[in-house]
PDB file of all heavy atoms in Angstrom:
ATOM      1  N   ALA A 113    -108.853 118.096  -4.328  1.00 98.00           N
ATOM      2  CA  ALA A 113    -108.326 116.757  -4.383  1.00 98.00           C
ATOM      3  C   ALA A 113    -109.108 115.860  -3.453  1.00 98.00           C
ATOM      4  O   ALA A 113    -109.393 114.614  -3.725  1.00 98.00           O
ATOM      5  CB  ALA A 113    -106.850 116.755  -4.226  1.00 98.00           C
ATOM      6  N   GLU A 114    -109.259 116.315  -2.211  1.00 98.00           N
ATOM      7  CA  GLU A 114    -109.955 115.526  -1.165  1.00 98.00           C
ATOM      8  C   GLU A 114    -111.409 115.340  -1.559  1.00 98.00           C
ATOM      9  O   GLU A 114    -111.947 114.294  -1.287  1.00 98.00           O
ATOM     10  CB  GLU A 114    -109.836 116.230   0.175  1.00 98.00           C
ATOM     11  CG  GLU A 114    -108.373 116.217   0.666  1.00 98.00           C
ATOM     12  CD  GLU A 114    -107.564 117.352   0.297  1.00 98.00           C
ATOM     13  OE1 GLU A 114    -108.078 118.206  -0.644  1.00 98.00           O
ATOM     14  OE2 GLU A 114    -106.431 117.490   0.663  1.00 98.00           O
ATOM     15  N   PHE A 115    -111.970 116.312  -2.141  1.00 98.00           N
ATOM     16  CA  PHE A 115    -113.369 116.240  -2.656  1.00 98.00           C
ATOM     17  C   PHE A 115    -113.507 115.163  -3.716  1.00 98.00           C
ATOM     18  O   PHE A 115    -114.401 114.312  -3.668  1.00 98.00           O
ATOM     19  CB  PHE A 115    -114.001 117.498  -3.112  1.00 98.00           C
ATOM     20  CG  PHE A 115    -115.445 117.474  -3.523  1.00 98.00           C
ATOM     21  CD1 PHE A 115    -116.430 117.316  -2.493  1.00 98.00           C
ATOM     22  CD2 PHE A 115    -115.868 117.437  -4.852  1.00 98.00           C
ATOM     23  CE1 PHE A 115    -117.746 117.248  -2.960  1.00 98.00           C
ATOM     24  CE2 PHE A 115    -117.091 117.403  -5.260  1.00 98.00           C
ATOM     25  CZ  PHE A 115    -118.112 117.316  -4.166  1.00 98.00           C
ATOM     26  N   GLU A 116    -112.673 115.137  -4.584  1.00 98.00           N
ATOM     27  CA  GLU A 116    -112.601 114.165  -5.647  1.00 98.00           C
ATOM     28  C   GLU A 116    -112.491 112.783  -5.102  1.00 98.00           C
ATOM     29  O   GLU A 116    -113.221 111.832  -5.471  1.00 98.00           O
ATOM     30  CB  GLU A 116    -111.477 114.406  -6.691  1.00 98.00           C
ATOM     31  CG  GLU A 116    -111.508 113.440  -7.858  1.00 98.00           C
ATOM     32  CD  GLU A 116    -110.451 113.785  -8.877  1.00 98.00           C
ATOM     33  OE1 GLU A 116    -109.553 114.754  -8.693  1.00 98.00           O
ATOM     34  OE2 GLU A 116    -110.480 113.025  -9.886  1.00 98.00           O
ATOM     35  N   ALA A 117    -111.584 112.527  -4.159  1.00 98.00           N
ATOM     36  CA  ALA A 117    -111.402 111.281  -3.507  1.00 98.00           C
ATOM     37  C   ALA A 117    -112.666 110.817  -2.783  1.00 98.00           C
ATOM     38  O   ALA A 117    -113.020 109.655  -2.792  1.00 98.00           O
ATOM     39  CB  ALA A 117    -110.189 111.324  -2.514  1.00 98.00           C
ATOM     40  N   LEU A 118    -113.281 111.816  -2.142  1.00 98.00           N
ATOM     41  CA  LEU A 118    -114.506 111.505  -1.358  1.00 98.00           C
ATOM     42  C   LEU A 118    -115.683 111.060  -2.342  1.00 98.00           C
ATOM     43  O   LEU A 118    -116.431 110.108  -2.124  1.00 98.00           O
ATOM     44  CB  LEU A 118    -115.000 112.649  -0.542  1.00 98.00           C
ATOM     45  CG  LEU A 118    -116.311 112.554   0.227  1.00 98.00           C
ATOM     46  CD1 LEU A 118    -116.217 111.469   1.224  1.00 98.00           C
ATOM     47  CD2 LEU A 118    -116.643 113.898   0.860  1.00 98.00           C
ATOM     48  N   THR A 119    -115.722 111.748  -3.478  1.00 96.00           N
ATOM     49  CA  THR A 119    -116.680 111.403  -4.512  1.00 96.00           C
ATOM     50  C   THR A 119    -116.510 110.025  -4.991  1.00 96.00           C
ATOM     51  O   THR A 119    -117.448 109.250  -5.140  1.00 96.00           O
ATOM     52  CB  THR A 119    -116.651 112.434  -5.700  1.00 96.00           C
ATOM     53  OG1 THR A 119    -116.929 113.782  -5.134  1.00 96.00           O
ATOM     54  CG2 THR A 119    -117.756 112.005  -6.762  1.00 96.00           C
ATOM     55  N   ASP A 120    -115.179 109.639  -5.151  1.00 96.00           N
ATOM     56  CA  ASP A 120    -114.943 108.272  -5.574  1.00 96.00           C
ATOM     57  C   ASP A 120    -115.407 107.223  -4.504  1.00 96.00           C
ATOM     58  O   ASP A 120    -115.779 106.171  -4.859  1.00 96.00           O
ATOM     59  CB  ASP A 120    -113.450 108.077  -5.871  1.00 96.00           C
ATOM     60  CG  ASP A 120    -112.912 108.896  -7.052  1.00 96.00           C
ATOM     61  OD1 ASP A 120    -113.766 109.297  -7.906  1.00 96.00           O
ATOM     62  OD2 ASP A 120    -111.730 109.168  -7.266  1.00 96.00           O
ATOM     63  N   ARG A 121    -115.344 107.645  -3.242  1.00 96.00           N
ATOM     64  CA  ARG A 121    -115.724 106.687  -2.141  1.00 96.00           C
ATOM     65  C   ARG A 121    -117.245 106.529  -2.228  1.00 96.00           C
ATOM     66  O   ARG A 121    -117.723 105.423  -1.763  1.00 96.00           O
ATOM     67  CB  ARG A 121    -115.382 107.257  -0.822  1.00 96.00           C
ATOM     68  CG  ARG A 121    -113.837 107.151  -0.584  1.00 96.00           C
ATOM     69  CD  ARG A 121    -113.369 107.798   0.729  1.00 96.00           C
ATOM     70  NE  ARG A 121    -113.887 107.208   1.888  1.00 96.00           N
ATOM     71  CZ  ARG A 121    -113.761 107.869   3.073  1.00 96.00           C
ATOM     72  NH1 ARG A 121    -113.311 109.054   3.249  1.00 96.00           N
ATOM     73  NH2 ARG A 121    -114.218 107.269   4.169  1.00 96.00           N
ATOM     74  N   PHE A 122    -117.961 107.450  -2.712  1.00 96.00           N
ATOM     75  CA  PHE A 122    -119.429 107.275  -2.806  1.00 96.00           C
ATOM     76  C   PHE A 122    -119.814 106.387  -3.942  1.00 96.00           C
ATOM     77  O   PHE A 122    -120.882 105.798  -3.891  1.00 96.00           O
ATOM     78  CB  PHE A 122    -120.184 108.627  -2.938  1.00 96.00           C
ATOM     79  CG  PHE A 122    -120.094 109.501  -1.738  1.00 96.00           C
ATOM     80  CD1 PHE A 122    -119.752 110.907  -1.792  1.00 96.00           C
ATOM     81  CD2 PHE A 122    -120.576 109.056  -0.493  1.00 96.00           C
ATOM     82  CE1 PHE A 122    -119.708 111.570  -0.688  1.00 96.00           C
ATOM     83  CE2 PHE A 122    -120.593 109.711   0.544  1.00 96.00           C
ATOM     84  CZ  PHE A 122    -120.190 111.152   0.513  1.00 96.00           C
ATOM     85  N   ALA A 123    -119.053 106.228  -4.916  1.00 93.00           N
ATOM     86  CA  ALA A 123    -119.443 105.576  -6.263  1.00 93.00           C
ATOM     87  C   ALA A 123    -119.851 104.145  -5.985  1.00 93.00           C
ATOM     88  O   ALA A 123    -120.839 103.749  -6.719  1.00 93.00           O
ATOM     89  CB  ALA A 123    -118.214 105.725  -7.131  1.00 93.00           C
ATOM     90  N   PRO A 124    -119.205 103.289  -5.122  1.00 94.00           N
ATOM     91  CA  PRO A 124    -119.742 101.953  -4.974  1.00 94.00           C
ATOM     92  C   PRO A 124    -121.216 101.872  -4.485  1.00 94.00           C
ATOM     93  O   PRO A 124    -121.838 100.906  -4.575  1.00 94.00           O
ATOM     94  CB  PRO A 124    -118.793 101.349  -3.910  1.00 94.00           C
ATOM     95  CG  PRO A 124    -117.523 102.200  -4.062  1.00 94.00           C
ATOM     96  CD  PRO A 124    -118.027 103.539  -4.350  1.00 94.00           C
ATOM     97  N   TYR A 125    -121.692 102.921  -3.842  1.00 95.00           N
ATOM     98  CA  TYR A 125    -122.987 102.962  -3.325  1.00 95.00           C
ATOM     99  C   TYR A 125    -124.160 103.307  -4.291  1.00 95.00           C
ATOM    100  O   TYR A 125    -125.256 102.952  -4.094  1.00 95.00           O
ATOM    101  CB  TYR A 125    -123.099 103.905  -2.160  1.00 95.00           C
ATOM    102  CG  TYR A 125    -122.220 103.506  -0.918  1.00 95.00           C
ATOM    103  CD1 TYR A 125    -121.020 104.096  -0.850  1.00 95.00           C
ATOM    104  CD2 TYR A 125    -122.581 102.540  -0.027  1.00 95.00           C
ATOM    105  CE1 TYR A 125    -120.132 103.837   0.228  1.00 95.00           C
ATOM    106  CE2 TYR A 125    -121.790 102.160   1.047  1.00 95.00           C
ATOM    107  CZ  TYR A 125    -120.565 102.834   1.084  1.00 95.00           C
ATOM    108  OH  TYR A 125    -119.687 102.477   2.135  1.00 95.00           O
ATOM    109  N   GLY A 126    -123.714 104.007  -5.326  1.00 93.00           N
ATOM    110  CA  GLY A 126    -124.649 104.453  -6.323  1.00 93.00           C
ATOM    111  C   GLY A 126    -124.155 105.637  -7.074  1.00 93.00           C
ATOM    112  O   GLY A 126    -123.012 106.076  -6.884  1.00 93.00           O
TER     113      GLY A 126
END
Side-chain angles (χ1 to χ4, degrees):
E114 292 85 0
F115 181 72
E116 184 177 1
L118 179 61
T119 301
D120 290 345
R121 287 171 67 193
F122 288 129
Y125 297 97

